[in-house]
């Protein structure tokens, strides 16, 4: 039995049959079932993925825990995850998302435990880098993908950007824009998020050869605009950095504090949220370093699905998304 013969029996094209048997693309569920029925009846074995689907017809329930409440960056992560889940729905895949706010370990643990109690087959999570979260993830009998930021656990893969590289890019921009001299304040979400700390580490490394540029403060804002406003307002009451480098969300609130201070402070940001792009268009943010959030959500679900059905892990256990630098130009204003 060939793909062409299956297509003829199913009344569809060879391309559609190929997509169904190889788990690619979005195919009408009824048509996908008809194709798989024919393939099973005729004992067609195109590859490991199709074998697993035909043999088991199991439903795959993937859970995701993400600190997206109040953080617009994660809108695209969620959209990517939901997009991939829709493409895989023909193969019995469902996605349940637990959205939480901020970086409280107890809240994150509760959300993960609820999903496990509901019987998810795999878990994607942006984990806090704290012992209790690591211990819980390590104890799980289901596959785990860490998404957006990583911790030291036995996971199938990490899907996200190279945060250290992101910080290095920011550091290079700082040197160019401050002409080798100045004071910098870095704003992160939480010291319990490894990615945020890796960005600061990369920033400091990039500045090692420029001793007259110093990172004078690392401020936490919990990725929250209100907290960011309050933290920066208090800091700027007593300090005047030459540049503020945001290494996480809460940028809208932080910018309000900077503008209200009336001080001449240059700003670098991360990500391409609506607030960041608006401030760039106004010439108030000089540049931002993005990290492909849609791809992070999409790839996290894809990697878990592939692992469940084929046992394959990404090379080196990492799927890096790209860091890209967007610069303000006067033409954009």
């Amino acid at each position: 039995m060939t793909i062409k013969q299956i297509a003829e029996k199913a009344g569809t094209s060879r391309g559609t049959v190929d997509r169904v048997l190889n788990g690619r693309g979005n195919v009408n569920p009824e048509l996908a079932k008809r194709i798989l029925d024919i393939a099973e009846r005729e004992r067609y074995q195109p590859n490991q993925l199709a074998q697993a689907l035909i043999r088991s017809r199991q439903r795959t329930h993937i859970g995701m825990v993400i600190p997206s409440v109040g953080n617009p960056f994660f809108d695209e992560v969620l959209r990517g995850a939901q997009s991939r889940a829709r493409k895989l729905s023909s193969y019995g895949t469902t996605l349940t998302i637990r959205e939480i706010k901020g970086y409280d370990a107890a809240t994150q643990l509760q959300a993960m435990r609820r999903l496990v109690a509901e019987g998810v087959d795999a878990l994607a999570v942006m984990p806090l880098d704290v012992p209790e979260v690591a211990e819980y993830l390590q104890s799980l009998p289901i596959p785990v993908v860490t998404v957006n930021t990583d911790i030291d656990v036995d996971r199938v893969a990490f899907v996200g950007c190279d945060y250290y590289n992101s910080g290095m890019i920011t550091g290079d921009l700082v040197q160019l824009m401050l002409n080798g001299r100045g004071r910098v304040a870095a704003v992160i979400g939480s010291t319990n998020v490894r990615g945020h700390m890796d960005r600061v580490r990369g920033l400091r490394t990039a500045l090692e050869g420029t001793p007259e540029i110093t990172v004078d403060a690392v401020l936490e804002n919990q990725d929250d605009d209100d907290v960011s406003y309050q933290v920066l307002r208090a800091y700027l009451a007593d300090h005047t950095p030459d540049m503020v480098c945001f290494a996480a969300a809460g940028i809208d609130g932080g910018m309000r504090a900077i503008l209200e201070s009336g001080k001449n402070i240059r700003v670098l940001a991360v990500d391409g949220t609506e607030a960041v792009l608006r401030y760039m268009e106004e010439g108030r943010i000089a540049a931002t370093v993005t990290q492909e959030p849609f791809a992070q959500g999409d790839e996290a679900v894809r990697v878990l699905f592939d692992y469940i059905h084929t046992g394959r892990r990404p090379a080196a256990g990492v799927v890096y998304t790209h860091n890209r630098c967007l610069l303000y130009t006067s033409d954009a204003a």
Side-chain angles (χ1 to χ4, degrees):
M1 175 65 65
T2 66
I3 286 180
K4 180 180 178 182
Q5 290 170 321
I6 294 174
E8 290 172 352
K9 284 180 175 289
T12 187
S13 68
R14 285 180 291 179
T16 299
V17 173
D18 181 73
R19 290 201 303 275
V20 169
L21 297 181
N22 289 283
R24 296 193 300 268
N26 192 13
V27 179
N28 179 279
E30 291 183 4
L31 177 58
K33 181 178 184 304
R34 186 159 72 246
I35 291 169
L36 288 172
D37 284 340
I38 295 168
E40 182 176 18
R41 189 168 59 248
E42 301 295 337
R43 298 174 184 263
Y44 181 77
Q45 298 180 1
N47 59 30
Q48 194 174 6
L49 175 60
Q51 269 189 289
L53 292 170
I54 294 168
R55 183 175 60 251
S56 67
R57 295 293 184 84
Q58 72 185 75
R59 298 191 65 80
T60 303
H61 187 186
I62 295 173
M64 174 175 277
V65 176
I66 209 85
S68 52
V69 177
N71 188 342
F73 166 79
F74 287 106
D75 291 349
E76 284 295 291
V77 177
L78 294 176
R79 197 166 69 86
Q82 291 160 344
S83 174
R84 177 61 63 169
R86 284 193 299 271
K87 292 176 182 177
L88 296 174
S89 63
S90 299
Y91 307 100
T93 299
T94 57
L95 174 68
T96 300
I97 298 169
R98 291 280 181 266
E99 297 185 66
I100 61 176
K101 182 177 177 62
Y103 302 118
D104 176 67
T107 301
Q108 185 168 96
L109 286 165
Q110 181 184 45
M112 291 191 292
R113 288 183 175 123
R114 284 179 61 192
L115 285 171
V116 171
E118 292 172 17
V120 296
D121 303 299
L123 182 66
V125 59
M126 178 190 163
L128 293 178
D129 193 9
V130 296
E132 54 266 43
V133 169
E135 289 168 10
Y136 179 72
L137 289 175
Q138 192 66 41
S139 73
L140 289 179
I142 59 175
V144 172
V145 159
T146 55
V147 57
N148 186 256
T149 190
D150 202 12
I151 59 173
D152 295 323
V153 293
D154 182 18
R155 76 292 191 271
V156 173
F158 163 63
V159 178
C161 80
D162 183 337
Y163 277 94
Y164 181 77
N165 174 259
S166 175
M168 289 280 288
I169 293 171
T170 300
D172 290 343
L173 291 169
V174 169
Q175 292 181 76
L176 288 171
M177 294 178 182
L178 293 185
N179 294 316
R181 180 190 298 272
R183 292 171 296 172
V184 176
V187 182
I188 66 171
S190 171
T191 56
N192 289 332
V193 176
R194 179 177 295 184
H196 297 175
M197 297 304 292
D198 282 347
R199 271 194 178 126
V200 173
R201 190 165 58 88
L203 170 65
R204 291 186 186 277
T205 299
L207 297 177
E208 283 179 355
T210 314
E212 293 186 351
I213 297 180
T214 59
V215 179
D216 290 352
V218 177
L219 310 172
E220 291 181 81
N221 69 5
Q222 301 304 311
D223 275 3
D224 182 273
D225 281 317
D226 292 336
V227 175
S228 193
Y229 173 79
Q230 296 296 337
V231 167
L232 266 165
R233 183 181 179 187
Y235 179 76
L236 295 177
D238 299 316
H239 302 84
T240 304
D242 297 288
M243 178 166 280
V244 169
C245 295
F246 288 97
I251 294 171
D252 196 16
M255 285 301 300
R256 284 191 283 115
I258 291 170
L259 294 175
E260 285 181 13
S261 74
K263 296 181 177 182
N264 184 23
I265 300 170
R266 305 196 74 177
V267 180
L268 295 175
V270 291
D271 306 324
T273 61
E274 181 182 342
V276 171
L277 297 179
R278 183 178 74 250
Y279 285 118
M280 287 187 70
E281 289 173 359
E282 296 172 357
R284 301 183 187 280
I285 290 179
T288 189
V289 182
T290 65
Q291 56 170 313
E292 295 189 310
F294 183 94
Q296 292 181 18
D298 179 90
E299 285 291 293
V301 175
R302 182 195 65 78
V303 166
L304 283 171
F305 178 86
D306 285 354
Y307 180 77
I308 289 170
H309 289 282
T310 71
R312 291 196 301 264
R313 296 175 183 246
V318 172
V319 178
Y320 277 137
T321 54
H322 295 100
N323 290 317
R324 291 191 171 94
C325 181
L326 303 179
L327 295 171
Y328 163 78
T329 64
S330 57
D331 290 341

